[in-house]
Amino acid sequence: MCWTRIPWGIDSWINLSHVDPDAEVQGEICLAVQMLEDVRGRCLRCHVLQARDLAPRDISGTSDPFARVFWGSQSLETSTIKKTRFPHWDEVLELREMPGPPSPLRVELWDWDMVGKNDFLGMVEFPPQVLQQNPPNGWFHLLPFPRAEEDSGGSLGALRLKVRLTEDRVLPSQYYQPLRELLMESVLGPAEEDAASPLAVLEELTSGDCRQELATKLVKLFLGQGLAGPFLDYLTRREVARTTDPNTLFRSNSLASKSMEQFLKLVGMPYLHEVLRPVINRVFEEKKYMELDPCKMDLGRTRRISFKGAPSEEHVREASLGLLTGYLEPIVDTIVGSVGRCPPAIRLAFKQLRQCVEERFPQAEHKDVKNLAISGFLFLRFFAPAILTPKLFDLRDQHADPQTRRSLLLLAKAVQSIGNLGQQLGQGKELWMAPLHPFLLQSISRVRDFLDQLVDVDGKEEPGGPARALVPPSVTVREGYLLKRKEEPAGLATRFAFKKRYFRLSGEMLSYSRSPECQTRSSLPVSHIRAVERVDEGAFQLPHVMQVVTQDGAGALHTTYLQCKNVNELNQWLSALRKASAPNPDKLAAWHPGAFRSAHWTCCHQAERSAAGCSRTHSAVTLGDWSDPLDPDAETQMVYRQLLLGRDRLRTPETEGTELGCVPPPCWLASGSLSFSDGDVFQLIVWVLKLACLGSNPGLATHWLCDLGRVAYLLYLSFLIWKIRVPIVHTSWGCPKEQMS
């Protein structure tokens, strides 16, 4: 095995080995063991209470578990509980000690099968000294059967894994409010000369994958605050202001480029699916052989597939050209006709981008730069990557085979050439693409008109995030069959409490009926929704259950439980419901991941139905069926972590080594007698950061202002660390990591 340590985890080669079904176990068991002694000798009393999260061994996704207890040569079994992964036995088994040396206690769990042998679920074992000194009492993790480790020596192959582990403690929202406010205020000021704003500092501190993750978190943070437009406008203005050659504009992986790219993925994913999915599905299903590069043509393969006689390169090229244009035509037609379907938030962002670039490069020789800036993001960073790797954009469930992958590569190259607006057409090493040039040139003229129409939009992004525009009030955004739990089922088994109903969700109403054609409908107003969350499997012994918490006119809360057929459908319904209810006020801050059954909550065991929730709710919006919910606290925590990781770099001034001037800093700053409230300190730091911006400009800065800029950074980080009060430890790898409770 070859392994190396990286700052966030381990990069390892691991030899593959045979899989023993009895080694694949999960779950826990609750036991209470007592050692008793009477006139007949010693007795072991094992109270088998319950188990949870057992492995599903049956086709129904559940198991029929029973426990078998061994002590010495004796064994006893509990009863079998049918169709559950969370059994409750509450049975006491007593075993008498037999002559011989002290024996360990072993408790095994099995799944009972009517036909064939029972399936192993796990076991726990306690040595004799533990039974004597500290008899087990509590929850214990189930373990596989002990077996000798077998190393195949790589004969089955090896798998390289790169594991990245990040640990964050996410605190209540009020602790992040100062940093959030500072970030929000920073995008509302001038961007061109703002070299010391929090966003400018963050860009200097990050690179590579870290910068991409930061861009994703920042985009989600500003989207949730309804400031995605000002945020992107601020970053693009900074990028444009420091760009001298228009040919290099947005070509690097700057924070502006990464943020716009992640913004398109978060907001534009449904739009992307609508434009590309039909053609991508055709390519996967038809599996046509296409090749224009003579160096890669396989004439023998084409003879077996589609040609009669001995095909020549010219025959293959002509056939491939026809296939490629047959796929490209519907793609271009759909794109240029999709102006009205493009999300308004994206159109507004592109409008701001075009205005900014046009102001920076007004010369006639740069008239195409304003269009290239937009097409570079839309075609080169959005459409082309999705065509090349459709699985990563949720266009397909599986990766393409080699032949289909080559076809997708040719299509992506063509779309990339269209996105470049013909600037590099006929140049470079890929001259074999020349037969496709007439079609590309014709498409480029249509794309120019499309870009003009795309930015022809009025209005501004309204506060409250993008969900208002993403879910029209009268349009059905999702529909399908779900299992709905009957209201307060009395005496019914869990499986009979859920009934199949057909649900429709629009921006105004969540309605359901027995079938799609049924006219009798019940409904829940979307405006009444206060939380949409998952439900633990143990609550109903069922997987893929979610809850919709609504509030009536009297202020009472009601919970509707819905079961989906699989985890993908569950995520899609969660996403759609959260987007539809995003503008709702009075969202719940906490919720119960369990259910109120048998006079208590199954999650926290509180006996009051109206008891406050035991888990923090997620944010009310998801921006795509594939993406995580917005979580402002977790996103701000990531930003804070980047500041902590870069604090050493901030302590080292860029002007280190220069002689300081004789002009001292202001006396009130040097006196050390600052005794302000939190708000006063925060306002002070904002003011000092603005002065630090002057200190970064050689034409305006004096020596004491440069010093003040360095002091500002230290004050800024010190205030955040003091305000959030997260203890910091250093790992053995020299990388700061937050201490977990």
Side-chain angles (χ1 to χ4, degrees):
M1 177 185 296
C2 170
W3 63 274
T4 56
R5 280 184 174 177
I6 58 177
W8 307 281
I10 294 178
D11 186 353
S12 306
W13 281 100
I14 302 176
N15 290 334
L16 301 180
S17 59
H18 293 281
V19 175
D20 182 0
D22 291 339
E24 302 297 311
V25 302
Q26 67 181 59
E28 299 174 294
I29 186 171
C30 186
L31 301 172
V33 179
Q34 291 179 296
M35 297 296 297
L36 306 175
E37 194 166 349
D38 55 21
V39 293
R40 294 186 296 168
R42 287 159 53 84
C43 170
L44 183 145
R45 177 177 294 171
C46 182
H47 189 182
V48 184
L49 294 164
Q50 57 181 315
R52 61 191 180 194
D53 195 29
L54 300 180
R57 298 299 192 200
D58 297 336
I59 195 172
S60 63
T62 60
S63 294
D64 303 323
F66 69 91
R68 186 179 291 160
V69 180
F70 296 87
W71 193 45
S73 60
Q74 302 181 76
S75 67
L76 291 175
E77 294 182 359
T78 66
S79 59
T80 300
I81 311 248
K82 297 293 187 68
K83 296 187 181 304
T84 181
R85 294 173 51 224
F86 297 82
H88 288 254
W89 291 285
D90 197 15
E91 297 183 21
V92 177
L93 305 179
E94 293 188 354
L95 300 94
R96 288 283 170 181
E97 185 179 40
M98 303 299 291
S103 301
L105 169 67
R106 188 172 78 251
V107 181
E108 299 175 0
L109 292 188
W110 294 84
D111 167 49
W112 177 83
D113 285 333
M114 180 178 295
V115 180
K117 66 175 185 177
N118 299 330
D119 298 316
F120 180 68
L121 293 174
M123 60 160 285
V124 291
E125 189 170 40
F126 306 97
Q129 56 268 30
V130 172
L131 299 177
Q132 293 287 345
Q133 301 171 5
N134 187 22
N137 187 356
W139 286 96
F140 302 93
H141 286 285
L142 295 175
L143 303 173
F145 272 130
R147 62 187 180 94
E149 289 293 330
E150 298 180 3
D151 189 352
S152 60
S155 61
L156 296 179
L159 179 68
R160 182 179 179 181
L161 293 178
K162 187 173 182 179
V163 181
R164 180 181 179 184
L165 175 65
T166 58
E167 297 177 343
D168 280 327
R169 173 189 291 175
V170 180
L171 301 177
S173 296
Q174 62 267 25
Y175 292 98
Y176 300 107
Q177 194 61 29
L179 179 55
R180 266 201 299 269
E181 289 178 357
L182 187 62
L183 290 170
M184 299 305 152
E185 289 182 4
S186 67
V187 304
L188 301 178
E192 290 79 359
E193 298 180 357
D194 192 1
S197 72
L199 293 176
V201 172
L202 286 166
E203 183 170 19
E204 292 298 323
L205 295 178
T206 55
S207 60
D209 293 341
C210 188
R211 181 174 291 174
Q212 179 162 329
E213 182 185 3
L214 174 66
T216 302
K217 298 298 184 183
L218 287 173
V219 169
K220 294 172 73 174
L221 181 62
F222 281 93
L223 274 168
Q225 300 294 322
L227 292 174
F231 167 68
L232 294 172
D233 186 51
Y234 174 88
L235 291 180
T236 54
R237 287 188 178 279
R238 288 192 72 249
E239 181 81 3
V240 170
R242 61 188 180 185
T243 301
T244 56
D245 183 1
N247 295 319
T248 63
L249 184 62
F250 299 119
R251 297 295 179 173
S252 65
N253 290 324
S254 63
L255 185 59
S257 300
K258 287 294 184 183
S259 297
M260 182 66 80
E261 182 181 336
Q262 296 305 312
F263 172 74
L264 290 175
K265 290 180 180 179
L266 288 169
V267 177
M269 197 59 63
Y271 169 63
L272 177 82
H273 290 177
E274 187 176 359
V275 170
L276 295 182
R277 178 167 276 161
V279 176
I280 296 297
N281 288 339
R282 274 185 55 204
V283 176
F284 271 80
E285 292 163 5
E286 295 176 1
K287 296 186 181 299
K288 300 288 187 179
Y289 179 79
M290 298 183 292
E291 187 55 73
L292 295 179
D293 187 355
C295 299
K296 296 183 180 293
M297 284 186 185
D298 184 354
L299 300 183
R301 182 183 185 86
T302 57
R303 184 187 301 115
R304 292 193 301 270
I305 294 176
S306 58
F307 291 97
K308 297 179 181 179
S312 64
E313 286 187 6
E314 187 62 30
H315 290 150
V316 176
R317 187 179 298 109
E318 289 179 2
S320 300
L321 183 62
L323 291 171
L324 276 171
T325 54
Y327 290 129
L328 284 170
E329 280 180 357
I331 290 179
V332 175
D333 290 343
T334 307
I335 290 176
V336 299
S338 66
V339 173
R341 289 171 287 172
C342 183
I346 292 180
R347 299 182 64 184
L348 286 169
F350 282 158
K351 180 180 181 179
Q352 294 171 344
L353 173 61
R354 181 169 177 169
Q355 291 174 347
C356 178
V357 175
E358 197 169 13
E359 293 171 1
R360 178 67 176 84
F361 300 102
Q363 299 86 353
E365 62 268 23
H366 300 322
K367 63 179 181 179
D368 249 357
V369 177
K370 60 185 180 183
N371 286 328
L372 282 169
I374 300 175
S375 63
F377 285 117
L378 191 59
F379 285 82
L380 276 62
R381 292 179 181 258
F382 195 42
F383 289 145
I387 293 172
L388 187 61
T389 53
K391 185 178 186 298
L392 299 183
F393 288 77
D394 202 32
L395 288 166
R396 296 290 297 185
D397 294 332
Q398 302 295 331
H399 286 295
D401 58 73
Q403 178 181 319
T404 305
R405 188 161 58 244
R406 180 61 183 174
S407 300
L408 294 174
L409 176 61
L410 294 174
L411 288 172
K413 285 180 178 293
V415 171
Q416 217 167 15
S417 298
I418 295 173
N420 283 323
L421 302 182
Q423 281 209 336
Q424 300 174 359
L425 214 57
Q427 303 176 14
K429 301 179 180 179
E430 297 175 348
L431 298 179
W432 45 265
M433 291 281 288
L436 201 57
H437 289 177
F439 174 81
L440 297 180
L441 291 172
Q442 181 185 1
S443 301
I444 287 169
S445 63
R446 300 176 63 195
V447 167
R448 291 180 191 274
D449 296 335
F450 162 72
L451 296 176
D452 290 336
Q453 299 173 31
L454 192 66
V455 299
D456 185 14
V457 58
D458 295 326
K460 296 183 178 179
E461 187 175 355
E462 59 184 80
R468 300 177 190 269
L470 291 176
V471 183
S474 58
V475 176
T476 299
V477 294
R478 187 155 190 87
E479 58 183 314
Y481 279 104
L482 298 173
L483 296 179
K484 177 183 178 296
R485 186 172 186 254
K486 295 184 67 176
E487 296 292 337
E488 301 296 335
L492 291 177
T494 302
R495 58 179 176 172
F496 298 117
F498 283 83
K499 297 296 182 183
K500 190 174 182 179
R501 295 291 182 263
Y502 192 85
F503 281 79
R504 283 190 177 91
L505 172 65
S506 69
E508 294 178 337
M509 202 69 65
L510 175 64
S511 60
Y512 57 94
S513 57
R514 290 181 179 273
S515 66
E517 300 80 16
C518 184
Q519 299 299 318
T520 305
R521 294 180 173 276
S522 302
S523 61
L524 299 172
V526 169
S527 60
H528 291 185
I529 295 178
R530 295 296 175 263
V532 181
E533 299 291 342
R534 298 172 185 264
V535 177
D536 290 343
E537 290 189 13
F540 299 108
Q541 321 275 313
L542 295 171
H544 318 313
V545 179
M546 64 178 175
Q547 56 180 305
V548 181
V549 183
T550 56
Q551 188 175 36
D552 60 22
L557 296 177
H558 305 275
T559 304
T560 303
Y561 296 98
L562 305 173
Q563 185 187 18
C564 305
K565 62 182 179 182
N566 55 49
V567 67
N568 290 333
E569 187 178 67
L570 173 64
N571 289 334
Q572 291 164 0
W573 273 102
L574 284 170
S575 170
L577 284 165
R578 286 171 176 165
K579 282 192 290 187
S581 60
N584 294 353
D586 302 326
K587 293 287 191 351
L588 295 182
W591 61 295
H592 289 284
F596 193 81
R597 305 182 65 193
S598 303
H600 71 278
W601 287 99
T602 59
C603 47
C604 56
H605 301 290
Q606 296 186 75
E608 297 282 341
R609 178 184 287 274
S610 59
C614 55
S615 294
R616 187 170 65 95
T617 56
H618 296 84
S619 180
V621 113
T622 28
L623 297 168
D625 293 341
W626 61 280
S627 66
D628 295 329
L630 293 179
D631 191 337
D633 297 336
E635 290 144 15
T636 312
Q637 170 61 32
M638 189 273 175
V639 175
Y640 170 68
R641 174 158 48 89
Q642 292 302 322
L643 290 170
L644 290 181
L645 292 174
R647 68 191 186 279
D648 291 334
R649 290 177 58 186
L650 293 179
R651 288 194 182 107
T652 304
E654 296 180 358
T655 57
E656 187 173 6
T658 60
E659 293 185 3
L660 299 179
C662 60
V663 181
C667 58
W668 55 266
L669 183 61
S671 64
S673 61
L674 300 175
S675 58
F676 298 138
S677 66
D678 292 359
D680 294 333
V681 173
F682 175 73
Q683 294 298 328
L684 168 67
I685 292 175
V686 173
W687 181 83
V688 173
L689 279 174
K690 293 178 180 178
L691 285 183
C693 177
L694 294 177
S696 66
N697 188 331
L700 297 177
T702 61
H703 290 299
W704 75 267
L705 278 175
C706 292
D707 276 349
L708 190 54
R710 297 196 290 271
V711 172
Y713 287 139
L714 291 175
L715 280 174
Y716 176 59
L717 289 175
S718 301
F719 173 74
L720 291 177
I721 295 171
W722 168 79
K723 186 65 179 176
I724 300 180
R725 299 183 182 91
V726 178
I728 305 298
V729 297
H730 288 272
T731 67
S732 59
W733 301 343
C735 176
K737 183 177 67 174
E738 295 190 6
Q739 185 177 9
M740 301 299 293
S741 58

